[in-house]
Amino acid sequence: MAPLAATPVVEAHGARIPLIGLGTWDLRGRTCARMVDEALRLGYRHIDTAELYDNEREVGEGLRASGIERDEVFVTTKVWPSHFSPRELERAAKESLSRLRLTDVDLLLLHWPNPRIPLGETLGALCKVKRMGLARHIGVSNFTVALVEEAVALADEPLVCNQIEVHPFIDQAKVIAACRRHGLAIVAYSPVARGGVARDKVLARVAAAHGKSAAQVSLRFLVQRGIAVIPRTSRPQRLSENLAIFDFELTATEMVEIGRLAHRGGRIVDYAYSGSPDWD
Ligand SMILES: NC(=O)c1ccc[n+]([C@@H]2O[C@H](COP(=O)([O-])OP(=O)(O)OC[C@H]3O[C@@H](n4cnc5c(N)ncnc54)[C@H](OP(=O)(O)O)[C@@H]3O)[C@@H](O)[C@H]2O)c1
């Protein structure tokens, strides 16, 4: 079985985040455990979950079923914003670990910003949870440029990542630049635009030129820029397809052409969600 070193990684403040991981949102029960197990057997070394996904138990089951050593797999989970007060955050982190049946995760993220709780308090708790050894690294998700700047200034432990929506149809240049200024890696969610890339003519043409699929081109477009990707699939055959992105290279012209597909309205996950009253 391939060791972690065989998977290309992006480095950030000492974290080595495999460039390809399995997203697990919406994978439930036996399907989730089976997909995690299968992904790890195929060579994935990075699994993304969250307390919100209601599948941490099954992710843990898949990890154990695969027989892959714990230290070879990069496991990320996320704290939901309704648990951002310091006491709640620590409790939520411990509950995630108990569902996963792990003593620590590789990366613990704040899932979405929560404007109702002072960021400094939440980050203080997140840093404490790291110092307690419950998370090897910490980071954020869905943070804007302004919030990244604020978070970096407030945190007294390094933030290693901002997990955000990135695919060819959305321009995230500003937030990516802000993250890079502060050494945060980007982890791209919805990296195949929830299957939408398969309907794009430019991606189809570039894909045909390389003997690849549009989804593989979309993932390659991101990893070639050092952005980690966590595509989700419920189909075992697509696990191998999404992993086979390190044996070809897009030309500079193709990278520019794909970069031009970004447009207003290309976002999939509604950002207005970040003000959801359901969090309190
Ligand atoms: N931090 C956050 O707020 C946040 C938000 C959203 C997502 N995420 C994370 O990011 C992960 C990925 O994002 P996502 O689930 O929104 O979107 P995604 O990975 O872009 O798309 C998943 C969808 O694309 C299809 N798909 C997968 N591989 C494909 C391929 N090779 N060709 C064609 N279609 C393919 C899947 O269908 P099949 O199942 O039929 O293959 C599924 O319906 C999530 O699972 C979650 O872990 C995080």
Side-chain angles (χ1 to χ4, degrees):
M1 287 171 192
L4 184 60
T7 312
V9 297
V10 54
E11 300 206 33
H13 295 293
R16 291 170 52 79
I17 307 175
L19 278 174
I20 175 92
L22 176 68
T24 66
W25 172 69
D26 216 23
L27 297 180
R28 296 281 166 79
R30 292 176 66 116
T31 306
C32 179
R34 194 166 49 87
M35 293 304 288
V36 169
D37 177 8
E38 183 66 20
L40 293 169
R41 288 172 196 269
L42 286 170
Y44 284 73
R45 290 294 180 270
H46 173 179
I47 307 291
D48 181 83
T49 182
E51 61 167 323
L52 177 77
Y53 302 168
D54 192 22
N55 64 10
E56 289 172 309
R57 269 191 192 83
E58 290 77 12
V59 166
E61 276 170 30
L63 277 169
R64 286 184 293 281
S66 73
I68 307 283
E69 295 285 328
R70 167 67 189 96
D71 277 353
E72 290 189 17
V73 186
F74 193 95
V75 180
T76 299
T77 195
K78 316 181 192 85
V79 182
W80 190 241
S82 54
H83 299 146
F84 279 6
S85 72
R87 193 180 301 177
E88 286 280 305
L89 188 141
E90 189 175 321
R91 188 184 55 77
K94 286 179 177 161
E95 286 180 2
S96 281
L97 290 175
S98 112
R99 284 187 293 268
L100 285 158
R101 287 178 53 199
L102 294 177
T103 52
D104 60 18
V105 284
D106 294 273
L107 183 56
L108 183 66
L109 301 179
L110 302 180
H111 203 145
W112 281 87
N114 183 348
R116 292 159 199 248
I117 299 181
L119 185 55
E121 288 180 19
T122 304
L123 283 167
L126 189 68
C127 292
K128 181 178 170 213
V129 157
K130 182 192 165 193
R131 286 192 293 270
M132 288 167 73
L134 307 184
R136 297 180 192 183
H137 303 282
I138 53 172
V140 296
S141 178
N142 297 299
F143 270 39
T144 59
V145 173
L147 281 169
V148 167
E149 298 289 348
E150 196 184 336
V152 167
L154 288 168
D156 50 16
E157 296 283 340
L159 300 173
V160 307
C161 137
N162 188 13
Q163 184 181 120
I164 53 173
E165 179 176 339
V166 199
H167 48 72
F169 308 138
I170 185 169
D171 177 13
Q172 295 281 39
K174 286 185 183 154
V175 68
I176 290 172
C179 290
R180 292 208 158 130
R181 271 199 302 281
H182 295 292
L184 278 76
I186 302 292
V187 174
Y189 72 69
S190 308
V192 297
R194 299 222 168 129
V197 294
R199 296 185 291 274
D200 185 86
K201 287 191 181 130
V202 171
L203 293 173
R205 176 167 45 73
V206 173
H210 290 276
K212 292 283 178 180
S213 67
Q216 289 171 316
V217 168
S218 179
L219 296 172
R220 178 72 210 181
F221 171 67
L222 301 173
V223 298
Q224 205 164 305
R225 293 152 65 201
I227 296 173
V229 294
I230 47 168
R232 177 226 347 158
T233 181
S234 52
R235 305 188 203 192
Q237 67 275 21
R238 282 187 170 159
L239 286 175
S240 337
E241 179 185 338
N242 293 345
L243 192 58
I245 54 171
F246 299 106
D247 58 354
F248 75 112
E249 194 166 351
L250 298 169
T251 65
T253 311
E254 288 168 337
M255 291 294 285
V256 169
E257 205 180 355
I258 298 168
R260 288 202 192 110
L261 296 175
H263 59 273
R264 284 176 81 85
R267 185 185 289 282
I268 295 169
V269 177
D270 188 358
Y271 229 71
Y273 195 43
S274 61
S276 169
D278 299 339
W279 290 350
D280 298 317

